[in-house]
Amino acid sequence: MMSIRQRREIRATEVSEDFPAQEENVKLENKLPSGCTSRRLWKILSLTIGGTIALCIGLLTSVYLATLHENDLWFSNIKEVEREISFRTECGLYYSYYKQMLQAPTLMQGFHGLIYDNKTESMKTINLLQRMNIYQEVFLSILYRVLPIQKYLEPVYFYIYTLFGLQAIYVTALYITSWLLSGTWLSGLLAAFWYVTNRIDTTRVEFTIPLRENWALPFFAIQIAAITYFLRPNLQPLSERLTLLAIFISTFLFSLTWQFNQFMMLMQALVLFTLDSLDMLPAVKATWLYGIQITSLLLVCILQFFNSMILGSLLISFNLSVFIARKLQKNLKTGSFLNRLGKLLLHLFMVLCLTLFLNNIIKKILNLKSDEHIFKFLKAKFGLGATRDFDANLYLCEEAFGLLPFNTFGRLSDTLLFYAYIFVLSITVIVAFVVAFHNLSDSTNQQSVGKMEKGTVDLKPETAYNLIHTILFGFLALSTMRMKYLWTSHMCVFASFGLCSPEIWELLLKSVHLYNPKRICIMRYSVPILILLYLCYKFWPGMMDELSELREFYDPDTVELMNWINSNTPRKAVFAGSMQLLAGVKLCTGRTLTNHPHYEDSSLRERTRAVYQIYAKRAPEEVHALLRSFGTDYVILEDSICYERRHRRGCRLRDLLDIANGHKPSLGTLVTATGAGQGRDDGWPRRE
């Protein structure tokens, strides 16, 4: 039904009153384009400068680490056998497969040799692509064959330069993550400086080049940067899809290059689960990330010929349990505070029970025992019962698997990193508690994640993710020293972000009643600049001295041993000995081994324990029978093990064997001796 309304009269006074406002609007509209243009130009300039600095600092870090490696070993001047011996323990084992692929007449024969390998474990044919994460060696060997670089670059240099190149990507990814969190590239520059000045605690690539973590951690850093961007609200659909693709590719490559990927991604899944449960993360985005983790692991499982250790991982069981629990508890995020808290605890209990149930079922179906040594180690480490298990005690006695030494915090404090990290962590933890309490209490007002009323504290989803990430990986590093490299690098990112974050300084200045937008700007730029100047002043001379110090590889005993094996033993001879030394035998001589350092297989662990009986209180006839059962032709006995002083009494290899065999450890006199395989521990001599 249509109605007619009388037109309202316009009074002259209204026109005169409205006209100035209209005139002001016209002036403002005329000014906006130029303002927008200047802001757009400034943004482009900032991105250009920041991006250029990111690339430069990444490349400089790579060159710096490569130079340290050259200066430490005089790598360019030593013999090929010495270069190969410098790849200690499992590093040498992994590099041997790169060498094997290059020495194969054709690529197909190289692949066949890896899939049907009978030299890594005597009297057994194993699929190395299934057992180990060595696709990176395969890929590099193919690249070296295809690219026209054979005349200009030796295979070993192509290999190590690739690893040092990945360090450039690693540092650049840390830089970008800090930049994304803080909004300024100055934060990324500070993160990179902290990474380099704390090199002892952030990386060990210069002396353990082929380790799996040195391949994997750059992709892990890229994944964290991509997740940080993905969790930003109001992303454009195209940006979101491209970011998801970047997350998937980096997660897949990280999973493909490191056998411990599942445990690191389980920590990430726990971060997502915590944030999703506390309404600090959009549930849809958490679901995408869970799905990417599962998909990446399943693809790696296929490439590794259905490796049962991947299928039986806790990560897959946990992520599936989260999906099931969500379906069963649909109204998890409604109700009063106590009601929601009760639902949350029930949800946590349900996910935990489902995870353990699914994991046990999968392992029983697959008869999986590959990772049982890890859980035995964790059980013994956290005092859940004493153990005589040889494998668990072997880990417990290694310093790398002990608690993080206290002097680590002293080194981190010298660069001001630890102080800055604690400062930023304290503030963000308090904010996280306030936001979590608000979210659980205010379920009636369904606000978007990361946005609250004006006047209340706020925690962005990407900040919340990095906060829980650094806390969980911090606990991991504190409990196991070898995992500190996952924490300390992210510590650089988190501390630098906080010092350059306007939100952190706004909250701090408001709490002391000194809030002013200009003060925020001054603090977020002046503090990191002062720290950068301090780092340059204190550490630049030391870094220059370090680069000028020339040392040389020196391990004549091991060199002599490898030369003797090559000259005096048949090509098909089988060698038994310590895991660490046999990896070098495989690389330098190509002889067949009884055991090796890649410990993620139950049958290999049993074989290693049997071979190590050469150092135990066993009758010679029994030991001889055990060695012959593996086809052993030669045994390498090391006086560094026989007269070991590196470990305390009770942790020496012979003591661990006696404990596992039901004997009391010997209390004989310790004798100082040196032997093959000890070169690095004694230090390199200076180069004259």
Side-chain angles (χ1 to χ4, degrees), residues 336-478:
S336 62
F337 175 77
L338 291 177
N339 190 7
R340 284 200 63 181
L341 191 61
K343 287 180 180 179
L344 189 59
L345 292 174
L346 179 61
H347 184 64
L348 178 62
F349 179 73
M350 185 183 298
V351 169
L352 181 62
C353 291
L354 277 172
T355 300
L356 295 176
F357 174 74
L358 287 175
N359 195 250
N360 282 327
I361 291 294
I362 293 170
K363 285 184 176 179
K364 284 183 178 179
I365 292 172
L366 299 174
N367 192 27
L368 179 61
K369 296 181 181 179
S370 297
D371 57 355
E372 64 178 6
H373 65 299
I374 297 173
F375 296 105
K376 286 180 181 178
F377 160 70
L378 292 174
K379 181 181 176 182
K381 183 178 179 65
F382 294 111
L384 301 177
T387 179
R388 284 180 170 270
D389 184 76
F390 174 75
D391 302 317
N393 285 328
L394 195 63
Y395 280 110
L396 286 172
C397 287
E398 284 297 325
E399 185 183 2
F401 293 94
L403 299 177
L404 188 67
F406 191 73
N407 60 9
T408 305
F409 301 106
R411 290 193 299 270
L412 296 175
S413 299
D414 287 342
T415 63
L416 305 180
L417 172 59
F418 187 65
Y419 299 129
Y421 177 76
I422 293 298
F423 166 73
V424 175
L425 185 67
S426 302
I427 295 174
T428 48
V429 165
I430 293 169
V431 172
F433 271 115
V434 173
V435 171
F437 182 79
H438 181 277
N439 290 347
L440 292 176
S441 303
D442 193 18
S443 59
T444 54
N445 297 332
Q446 294 295 326
Q447 299 170 336
S448 61
V449 176
K451 293 184 179 179
M452 303 174 70
E453 304 115 353
K454 191 175 181 180
T456 63
V457 293
D458 183 16
L459 191 67
K460 297 175 182 177
E462 61 269 31
T463 305
Y465 171 82
N466 279 275
L467 170 64
I468 307 300
H469 178 102
T470 196
I471 290 173
L472 289 186
F473 279 90
F475 281 124
L476 180 65
L478 291 172

Side-chain angles (χ1 to χ4, degrees), residues 4 17 72 118 139 142 145 198 227 229 263 300 362 495 520 541 606:
I4 301 176
E17 288 173 3
D72 194 35
N118 54 16
F139 177 70
I142 294 172
R145 282 172 173 267
N198 291 283
I227 290 175
Y229 185 75
F263 302 105
V300 171
I362 293 170
I520 292 175
E606 293 173 3

Side-chain angles (χ1 to χ4, degrees), residues 195-295:
Y195 179 86
V196 174
T197 53
N198 291 283
R199 174 181 58 81
I200 295 174
D201 297 300
T202 55
T203 182
R204 51 178 178 165
V205 67
E206 72 269 23
F207 59 89
T208 58
I209 296 175
L211 270 190
R212 303 300 84 180
E213 68 188 52
N214 295 328
W215 285 97
L217 291 184
F219 300 119
F220 192 54
I222 293 171
Q223 185 220 42
I224 293 171
I227 290 175
T228 300
Y229 185 75
F230 175 67
L231 294 180
R232 286 184 164 188
N234 306 318
L235 283 182
Q236 295 295 325
L238 179 60
S239 297
E240 191 169 295
R241 285 194 292 270
L242 290 174
T243 308
L244 281 172
L245 179 62
I247 295 171
F248 170 72
I249 293 172
S250 56
T251 305
F252 169 71
L253 292 174
F254 171 68
S255 304
L256 189 65
T257 51
W258 197 16
Q259 68 268 30
F260 294 134
N261 61 76
Q262 53 180 290
F263 302 105
M264 303 306 109
M265 289 200 293
L266 177 62
M267 303 287 283
Q268 280 192 317
L270 290 172
V271 174
L272 297 173
F273 177 76
T274 302
L275 296 176
D276 183 27
S277 300
L278 296 175
D279 278 357
M280 299 170 75
L281 189 74
V284 175
K285 291 191 175 184
T287 303
W288 271 108
L289 295 176
Y290 285 135
I292 285 174
Q293 285 187 331
I294 294 176
T295 306

Side-chain angles (χ1 to χ4, degrees), residues 55-115:
L55 293 174
C56 291
I57 201 76
L59 290 172
L60 285 173
T61 304
S62 174
V63 172
Y64 171 63
L65 294 172
T67 305
L68 288 178
H69 174 259
E70 167 63 26
N71 290 356
D72 194 35
L73 303 179
W74 205 1
F75 201 75
S76 60
N77 191 63
I78 58 179
K79 300 174 183 177
E80 186 67 21
V81 66
E82 292 176 312
R83 290 177 179 176
E84 293 177 348
I85 292 171
S86 72
F87 297 139
R88 299 288 182 180
T89 65
E90 60 187 294
C91 299
L93 184 69
Y94 298 133
Y95 183 79
S96 71
Y97 301 122
Y98 168 73
K99 180 179 176 182
Q100 181 178 323
M101 281 291 292
L102 290 177
Q103 289 178 343
T106 64
L107 281 175
M108 291 307 298
Q109 286 178 293
F111 271 110
H112 187 273
L114 295 179
I115 296 173

